[in-house]
């Protein structure tokens, strides 16, 4: 019996996205428990020292917990997710571009184009490969913002004072003043879980749009 044909060209790419999504869900479920444990540890320590009813000591504990919950935990759990997501997105773009290039027998590769990564991606897909990457919609604008934020995380550890580009620094400060899930807490760049999830969804849809176009335009089934 002949088995049906399947196209596995981009399966590893989606495995990476699904694995990151599982990690995101794990972080979302574990953060409340972690916060609860830290709160219990802090107040247990206060009782052991006999300062349970001391208003100054309690205020200090509350301030420490606030900084931990609002600053430290989101920064070290959610920031790395965005850095990883960008790495997946960038490698996916290169993989999809190479497949289309090989199918078209193009001499020019994505790496031959000038500009930052998103500029090169726009030029290469829309003008050379003739594959619509939809740079005029809201998703592309979000990716432009994501690119700046990722660079701030990867190259400046999310600290605004360490960002070399004044232009990027000013952009981030403006975004942080809007209610979109980007926060500037004491000079450190923080994100809400909602912003991380939205960014993941946009990256997933952009990648799916491109892989769908390539597999439809250049069918290349592989026998299971």
């Amino acid at each position: 019996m002949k088995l049906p044909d399947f196209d596995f060209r981009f399966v590893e790419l989606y495995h990476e996205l699904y694995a990151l999504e599982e990690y995101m869900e794990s972080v979302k479920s574990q953060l409340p428990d972690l916060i609860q444990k830290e709160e219990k540890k802090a107040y247990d320590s206060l009782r052991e020292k006999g300062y349970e009813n001391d208003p100054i000591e309690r205020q200090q504990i509350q301030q420490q917990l606030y900084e931990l919950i609002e600053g430290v935990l989101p920064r070290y759990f959610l920031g790395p997710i965005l850095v990883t997501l960008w790495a997946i997105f960038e490698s996916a773009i290169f993989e999809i571009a190479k497949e289309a290039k090989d199918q078209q027998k193009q001499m020019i590769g994505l790496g031959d184009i000038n500009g930052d990564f998103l500029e090169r991606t726009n030029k290469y897909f829309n003008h050379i490969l003739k594959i619509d990457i939809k740079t005029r919609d809201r998703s592309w604008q979000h990716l432009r913002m994501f690119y700046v934020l990722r660079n701030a995380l990867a190259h400046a550890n999310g600290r605004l004072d360490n960002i070399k580009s004044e232009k990027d620094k000013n952009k981030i400060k403006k975004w942080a003043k809007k209610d979109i899930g980007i926060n500037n807490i004491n000079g450190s760049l923080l994100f809400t879980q909602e912003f991380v999830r939205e960014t993941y969804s946009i990256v997933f849809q952009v990648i799916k749009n491109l892989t769908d176009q390539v597999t439809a335009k250049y069918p290349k089934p592989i026998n299971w």
Side-chain angles (χ1 to χ4, degrees):
M1 182 179 69
K2 185 178 183 300
L3 295 175
D5 291 330
F6 294 91
D7 190 330
F8 293 108
R9 276 175 287 182
F10 303 114
V11 67
E12 289 297 327
L13 190 162
Y14 283 102
H15 284 168
E16 291 179 354
L17 285 167
Y18 290 136
L20 183 60
E21 184 176 27
E22 287 298 312
Y23 177 71
M24 288 166 55
E25 289 302 313
S26 175
V27 168
K28 182 179 179 180
S29 64
Q30 290 179 19
L31 270 179
D33 291 339
L34 182 58
I35 290 170
Q36 189 176 30
K37 288 178 182 178
E38 290 299 324
E39 288 176 336
K40 184 178 184 304
K41 186 192 303 181
Y43 286 113
D44 284 348
S45 175
L46 203 62
R47 281 191 292 271
E48 290 172 3
K49 295 175 181 179
Y51 295 142
E52 183 178 5
N53 297 318
D54 188 315
I56 296 177
E57 291 291 338
R58 289 185 67 85
Q59 185 177 11
Q60 289 179 346
I61 287 293
Q62 289 168 358
Q63 180 61 32
Q64 291 171 8
L65 286 170
Y66 176 82
E67 292 174 358
L68 176 70
I69 295 167
E70 298 298 324
V72 176
L73 294 180
R75 182 180 176 201
Y76 287 103
F77 277 88
L78 301 180
I81 291 176
L82 290 174
V83 174
T84 301
L85 179 60
W86 181 268
I88 293 173
F89 172 69
E90 191 167 312
S91 63
I93 291 297
F94 273 108
E95 183 177 339
I96 298 166
K98 183 180 184 305
E99 175 63 24
K101 172 181 177 292
D102 292 346
Q103 291 285 352
Q104 294 184 14
K105 296 181 172 55
Q106 284 281 353
M107 298 300 294
I108 299 174
L110 178 58
D112 299 320
I113 307 299
N114 294 324
D116 67 33
F117 182 74
L118 290 177
E119 289 170 347
R120 289 187 288 135
T121 299
N122 175 19
K123 293 174 186 176
Y124 192 65
F125 277 86
N126 283 322
H127 302 294
I128 294 179
L129 297 177
K130 305 300 183 183
I131 294 174
D132 185 10
I133 204 168
K134 301 185 185 301
T135 57
R136 294 182 180 180
D137 66 10
R138 177 182 169 278
S139 294
W140 189 257
Q141 298 307 312
H142 192 98
L143 287 176
R144 294 292 320 172
M145 178 171 62
F146 181 25
Y147 185 51
V148 173
L149 296 172
R150 174 267 176 192
N151 288 341
L153 290 169
H155 303 306
N157 197 27
R159 296 187 182 278
L160 270 64
D161 287 345
N162 294 338
I163 298 174
K164 295 180 180 179
S165 170
E166 288 297 323
K167 183 178 179 181
D168 287 352
K169 188 185 301 184
N170 290 332
K171 284 181 180 179
I172 292 172
K173 288 180 178 178
K174 288 180 181 179
W175 295 332
K177 292 178 180 179
K178 301 178 181 180
D179 187 21
I180 57 175
I182 301 170
N183 300 301
N184 173 11
I185 307 296
N186 298 324
S188 292
L189 191 55
L190 303 176
F191 307 93
T192 63
Q193 293 190 40
E194 291 75 17
F195 179 82
V196 174
R197 165 55 65 178
E198 179 186 15
T199 304
Y200 175 89
S201 297
I202 287 172
V203 167
F204 187 96
Q205 288 303 318
V206 170
I207 290 174
K208 186 175 187 304
N209 170 54
L210 291 177
T211 56
D212 284 352
Q213 288 188 70
V214 171
T215 53
K217 193 172 184 178
Y218 307 109
K220 184 183 177 183
I222 300 173
N223 291 324
W224 185 286

